[in-house]
């Protein structure tokens, strides 16, 4: 059921003078005339006053070296490079010393196995659990390295591209063996070439240039072409095993075939999230014309775990065609968690205008970049607009001292009193910056000022892609540890 958010005329709260003034300014903006007389009786001082005049150090290193280090030589790209270079070296060695189609088939399936498992929900959560278990008392340099766990997509893409290269080698070797009249069959070679076309197509549509512009199309192609390719790889494994079984029966050869057992695990990995597909009731609270908050009782999922701060869930109205990920916001003291959905396209616009009574969930809550915050003693969170959704549960958890910088247009009007009040209660010194009143801030300078004032160990940024990259780069290039989504495939 859709319920309008409650209207509270004032957000004033007890706290610092800057906090009172900030809340007073916002309340006046919301239309509370009772605060106008107070405004003239005090000298207004906002938390961000003077940040533009404050000194900020120059970026370290020269531009070429700096860009190479922070834009090219990211952990994601390093992982991709290690996986791909290792595979390429092995492939070259085997081609030089000689290799048959059976061996190439095994290595191809092994790479596909790694690529798929590195995107499996439970595997991702396991990596996050292990890496973020590093205590905050450990050396900062080690924690910073472990916190890059969200770059593990580099292993996924590295193995996927490597598997495609191995498959191309298999197609070429299989064709050569067929021409020579060796034991490989026409059916095996034919299906190998067809699978290769599918995998090349999946990779091309996953490139950032296409994925960003047509994300829904990318998801459908990735899903349906991926499922089709998986079915064909099953057939290829059986055919290739039959070609090389010698005097053994096909059943015996399959039982002793490593690719077949890898395919069992691959198939189970792909099926597992869909086995957790649920259509569950939701309670919608309309925050504004631009945002809605969906409440869900996590117990309706059975053995579904309670979502933790820094995790996200995938929801859909049409489970075969379109999925969208939103951060889980646990509701303290209840069995509910919520998802804050703000307008960012046709799908979210329709969801806000016509909130559903039921919605589809798939898989399990998955850890994301924000989960790394638990590794640091003092953290500055930076959110723009609906970026508060993922950050709010981290504030509510109060695991460590933190500060919040939240910028956006008409924040109170857009996200409602309940959410804004809850954020302020959890973080009384939050810096909530209304861009409609104060204009667009220099996010790098403002964040740097907060880091210095708060003596933070790290910054976590949740925003759109251009601003996230700008802030993370601007801080990292000045020696401030910063983390943000990387929009990998």
């Amino acid at each position: 059921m859709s319920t309008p958010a409650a209207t509270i005329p004032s957000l004033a709260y007890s706290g610092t003078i800057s906090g009172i003034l900030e809340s007073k300014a916002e309340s006046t903006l919301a239309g509370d005339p009772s605060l106008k007389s107070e405004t003239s009786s005090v000298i207004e001082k906002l938390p961000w006053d003077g940040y533009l005049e404050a000194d900020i150090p120059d970026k370290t290193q020269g531009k070429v070296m700096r860009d190479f280090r922070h834009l090219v030589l990211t952990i994601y790209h390093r992982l991709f490079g290690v996986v791909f270079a290792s595979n390429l070296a092995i492939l070259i060695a085997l081609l030089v010393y000689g290799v048959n189609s059976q061996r190439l088939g095994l290595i191809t399936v092994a790479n596909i196995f790694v690529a798929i498992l590195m995107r499996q929900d439970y595997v991702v959560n396991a990596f996050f659990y292990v890496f973020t278990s590093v205590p905050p008392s450990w050396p900062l340099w080690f924690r910073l390295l472990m916190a890059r766990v969200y770059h593990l997509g580099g292993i996924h893409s590295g193995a996927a591209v490597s598997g495609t290269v191995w498959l191309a080698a298999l197609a070429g070797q299989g064709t050569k063996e067929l021409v020579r009249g060796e034991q490989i069959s026409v059916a095996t070679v034919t299906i190998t070439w067809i699978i290769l076309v599918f995998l090349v197509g999946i990779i091309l549509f996953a490139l950032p240039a296409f994925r960003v512009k047509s994300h829904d199309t990318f998801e459908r192609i990735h899903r349906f072409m991926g499922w089709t390719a998986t079915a064909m790889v099953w057939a290829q494994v059986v055919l290739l095993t039959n070609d090389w079984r010698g005097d053994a029966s096909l059943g015996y050869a399959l039982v002793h075939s490593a690719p077949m057992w890898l395919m069992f695990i691959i198939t189970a990995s792909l099926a597992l999230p869909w086995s957790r597909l649920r259509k569950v009731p939701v309670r919608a609270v309309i925050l504004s014309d631009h945002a809605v908050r969906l409440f869900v009782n996590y117990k309706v999922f059975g053995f579904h775990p309670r979502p933790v701060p820094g995790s996200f869930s995938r929801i859909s109205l049409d489970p075969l065609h379109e999925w969208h990920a939103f951060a889980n916001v646990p509701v303290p003291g209840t069995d509910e968690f919520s998802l804050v959905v703000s307008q960012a396209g046709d799908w979210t616009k329709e969801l806000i205008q016509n909130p559903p009574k039921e919605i589809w969930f798939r898989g399990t809550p998955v850890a994301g970049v924000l989960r790394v915050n638990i590794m640091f003693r003092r953290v500055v969170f930076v959110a723009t607009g609906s970026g508060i959704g993922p950050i709010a549960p981290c504030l509510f958890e109060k695991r460590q001292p933190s500060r919040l910088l939240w910028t956006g247009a008409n924040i109170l009007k857009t996200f409602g009193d309940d959410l804004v009040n809850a954020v302020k209660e959890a973080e009384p010194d939050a810096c909530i910056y209304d861009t409609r009143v104060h204009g667009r801030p220099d996010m790098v300078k403002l964040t740097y000022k907060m880091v210095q004032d708060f003596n933070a160990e790290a910054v976590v940024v949740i925003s759109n892609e251009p601003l996230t990259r700008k802030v993370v780069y601007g801080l990292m290039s000045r020696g401030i540890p910063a983390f943000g989504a990387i929009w990998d495939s």
Side-chain angles (χ1 to χ4, degrees), residues 376-381 398-403 427 454:
F376 302 100
R377 296 187 184 97
R378 301 173 72 84
V379 179
V380 168
F381 294 107
K398 298 183 179 179
R399 189 153 181 160
Q400 79 276 80
S402 63
R403 286 292 180 270
E427 176 45 82
F454 187 59

Side-chain angles (χ1 to χ4, degrees), residues 68-136:
F68 180 74
R69 178 184 177 187
H70 296 294
L71 300 180
V72 178
L73 208 59
T74 63
I75 298 296
Y76 178 94
H77 291 146
R78 293 182 206 178
L79 290 172
F80 178 95
V82 168
V83 173
F84 185 75
S86 300
N87 274 278
L88 190 61
I90 295 170
L91 176 60
I92 292 172
L94 290 178
L95 292 178
V96 169
Y97 291 102
V99 66
N100 58 39
S101 57
Q102 184 185 38
R103 177 63 61 85
L104 291 173
L106 170 59
I107 301 176
T108 299
V109 174
N111 272 278
I112 295 173
F113 169 83
V114 172
I116 290 176
L117 252 65
M118 294 310 297
R119 276 291 184 255
Q120 216 286 327
D121 293 350
Y122 293 96
V123 173
V124 171
N125 284 341
F127 269 91
F128 270 88
Y129 178 81
V130 172
F131 279 66
T132 60
S133 295
V134 175

Side-chain angles (χ1 to χ4, degrees), residues 122-182:
Y122 293 96
V123 173
V124 171
N125 284 341
F127 269 91
F128 270 88
Y129 178 81
V130 172
F131 279 66
T132 60
S133 295
V134 175
S137 59
W138 285 28
L140 180 60
W141 68 267
F142 187 76
R143 285 181 284 138
L144 293 176
L145 180 61
M146 295 297 100
R148 301 294 172 184
V149 61
Y150 62 95
H151 286 255
L152 57 82
I155 302 176
H156 161 77
S157 56
V161 173
S162 298
T164 304
V165 173
W166 282 103
L167 186 65
L170 171 58
Q173 178 65 24
T175 303
K176 185 192 299 183
E177 292 175 2
L178 183 65
V179 171
R180 291 175 178 173
E182 299 178 15

Side-chain angles (χ1 to χ4, degrees), residues 232-447:
M232 290 192 293
V233 172
W234 264 109
Q236 182 202 44
V237 167
V238 173
L239 289 169
L240 194 57
T241 302
N242 185 60
D243 292 341
W244 287 88
R245 65 186 174 88
D247 295 331
S249 67
L250 178 58
Y252 179 89
L254 287 173
V255 169
H256 291 81
S257 168
M260 192 200 72
W261 293 107
L262 291 177
M263 287 304 301
F264 271 121
I265 300 174
I266 287 172
T267 305
S269 175
L270 293 172
L272 186 56
W274 292 92
S275 72
R276 302 295 303 146
L277 183 66
R278 297 288 187 276
K279 190 175 187 180
V280 302
V282 296
R283 176 171 62 88
V285 175
I286 300 173
L287 304 177
S288 68
D289 293 339
H290 300 283
V292 65
R293 192 174 181 187
L294 304 177
F295 290 84
V296 184
N297 189 315
Y298 83 95
K299 288 188 175 180
V300 302
F301 295 95
F303 62 85
H304 210 54
R306 182 191 293 270
V308 299
S311 66
F312 64 87
S313 291
R314 299 182 183 92
I315 62 173
S316 177
L317 298 174
D318 183 4
L320 277 180
H321 296 98
E322 192 171 13
W323 286 90
H324 299 267
F326 294 94
N328 300 309
V329 185
V331 181
T334 74
D335 293 327
E336 286 188 318
F337 69 95
S338 68
L339 312 171
V340 178
V341 180
S342 63
Q343 187 171 320
D346 293 339
W347 190 87
T348 51
K349 181 179 180 180
E350 174 64 22
L351 191 75
I352 294 167
Q353 292 178 347
N354 300 290
K357 295 181 178 179
E358 293 181 311
I359 204 161
W360 291 95
F361 280 74
R362 189 187 83 210
T364 188
V366 183
V369 60
L370 260 170
R371 192 60 186 158
V372 306
N373 85 88
I374 65 177
M375 304 170 67
F376 302 100
R377 296 187 184 97
R378 301 173 72 84
V379 179
V380 168
F381 294 107
V382 178
T384 61
S386 59
I388 193 62
I391 288 175
C394 300
L395 299 174
F396 300 157
E397 188 180 32
K398 298 183 179 179
R399 189 153 181 160
Q400 79 276 80
S402 63
R403 286 292 180 270
L404 170 67
L405 169 59
W406 183 13
T407 70
N410 293 330
I411 288 177
L412 182 64
K413 180 180 178 181
T414 302
F415 296 98
D417 302 290
D418 289 346
L419 180 59
V420 175
N421 276 335
V423 168
K424 284 191 170 184
E425 182 179 351
E427 176 45 82
D429 294 319
C431 178
I432 302 180
Y433 185 108
D434 194 323
T435 57
R436 286 286 175 88
V437 177
H438 305 287
R440 292 186 179 274
D442 184 325
M443 291 296 290
V444 175
K445 268 197 166 185
L446 184 51
T447 304

